[in-house]
Amino acid sequence: VLPVSLYEKIVSGEITLHDWMKNAKRLGLDAADISTVMLKEHTPVYLNRVNRLIDEIGIPIAMASAYPDFTHPDALQRERELEYLRRDIAMCSELRLQYVRVLAGQAHLETSREEGIRWAVEMLRRAAVTAAKFGVTLVYENHFKPTVWEYADFSFPIDIFLEIALKIKGSGVKLNFDTGNVTALGLDPIPILKKIYPDVATVHISDMAELGKFAPVVIGTGVTPNKEILAYLKQQGFNGLVCIEEASGTGYDGIRKAVEFVRSAWEEAL
């Protein structure tokens, strides 16, 4: 579970990384998913403390979300963004994470479609070299908008996402498929998942209140066909990471309900 509903309390310090990891364990999860904003430092003392925490609680952190802005119109800023991501990759490697989720960048008004695609592909390919060195897999997502950004994701439109995904094939960057973000575009996620399935390493299960609108709800109560998606993954023998992106704003109650729904849907799938 990526606990988006808890981000505000986590950032404020009301909920600590230790609190979240303990609750992830209580929920019976195989691993936790986090945002890099939950990691306060990259000093040796701090990272050693986090590693001890992981060992003490008894489940790993499998993935962390990073927020590179590779579509920034300023070339120098794009280089900074790459260096920020490289630091995140190194930090996540030290914490024994398998995946780092990455994005294309923001839909800056000055960035054209052609430029944004070219810059995102170039930077993702360069970042993949660092990830390979540290034994981490980057997963690029069809994302909407993180709270740390001013603009929506440049590659939220599915045609842009698919073009970038095609152009990074063979780079070592895999895909993180978000189910609800496709629904928010007014589209059926299943045909798109089938198109990109060979490159999907991780899946974010999310849910939207209605078709064509970004309005996250408790997973299992919205219009995203997550039962059918999970059934398809199971039929294909999917053995990657299935992560619940819980963003309904209902806190631990929403997380618990989401876990119950996804676990039940997976077990019932033929």
Side-chain angles (χ1 to χ4, degrees), residues 183 206-211 215-226 228 261:
T183 311
S206 60
D207 207 347
M208 298 295 146
E210 59 185 275
L211 199 65
V217 290
V218 174
I219 292 167
T221 67
V223 299
T224 305
N226 283 311
E228 292 85 352
F261 170 82

Side-chain angles (χ1 to χ4, degrees), residues 69-75 78 104 108 110-126 154 164:
D69 187 9
F70 290 148
T71 53
H72 198 285
D74 184 338
R78 294 196 298 275
H108 295 278
E110 309 93 323
T111 300
S112 70
R113 186 184 193 280
E114 182 183 61
E115 288 172 329
I117 290 172
R118 185 173 73 251
W119 295 337
V121 170
E122 175 197 347
M123 292 303 196
L124 287 169
R125 283 184 168 274
R126 288 172 64 186
F154 173 82
I164 292 174

Side-chain angles (χ1 to χ4, degrees), residues 4 101 141-145 156 177-189 204-226 229 244-249 261:
V4 179
R101 185 187 68 157
E141 183 188 320
N142 56 310
H143 196 253
F144 172 60
K145 182 183 181 293
F156 180 51
F177 182 72
D178 187 293
T179 65
N181 285 346
V182 182
T183 311
L185 286 166
L187 302 172
D188 182 351
H204 267 184
I205 301 291
S206 60
D207 207 347
M208 298 295 146
E210 59 185 275
L211 199 65
K213 183 179 180 181
F214 186 82
V217 290
V218 174
I219 292 167
T221 67
V223 299
T224 305
N226 283 311
I229 290 167
I244 297 163
E245 183 171 3
E246 207 301 304
S248 68
F261 170 82

Side-chain angles (χ1 to χ4, degrees), residues 62-68 70 82 85-90 92-93 97-103 120-141 168 171-176 199-202:
M63 180 160 68
S65 296
Y67 310 96
F70 290 148
L82 181 59
L85 178 58
R86 283 172 169 157
R87 185 201 66 175
D88 286 342
I89 291 167
C92 289
S93 171
L97 273 68
Q98 187 175 0
Y99 300 106
V100 174
R101 185 187 68 157
V102 290
L103 311 173
V121 170
E122 175 197 347
M123 292 303 196
L124 287 169
R125 283 184 168 274
R126 288 172 64 186
V129 176
T130 301
K133 179 168 68 174
F134 287 105
V136 172
T137 299
L138 301 182
V139 286
Y140 164 56
E141 183 188 320
I168 58 174
S171 66
V173 181
K174 297 299 183 181
L175 303 179
N176 179 64
D199 296 308
V200 173
T202 61

Side-chain angles (χ1 to χ4, degrees), residues 233-266:
L233 292 170
K234 193 171 183 180
Q235 289 159 12
Q236 298 303 308
F238 183 69
N239 196 33
L241 181 70
V242 175
C243 173
I244 297 163
E245 183 171 3
E246 207 301 304
S248 68
T250 55
Y252 279 118
D253 186 54
I255 292 173
R256 179 185 54 78
K257 289 175 179 175
V259 171
E260 289 172 357
F261 170 82
V262 172
R263 191 172 278 146
S264 173
W266 182 266

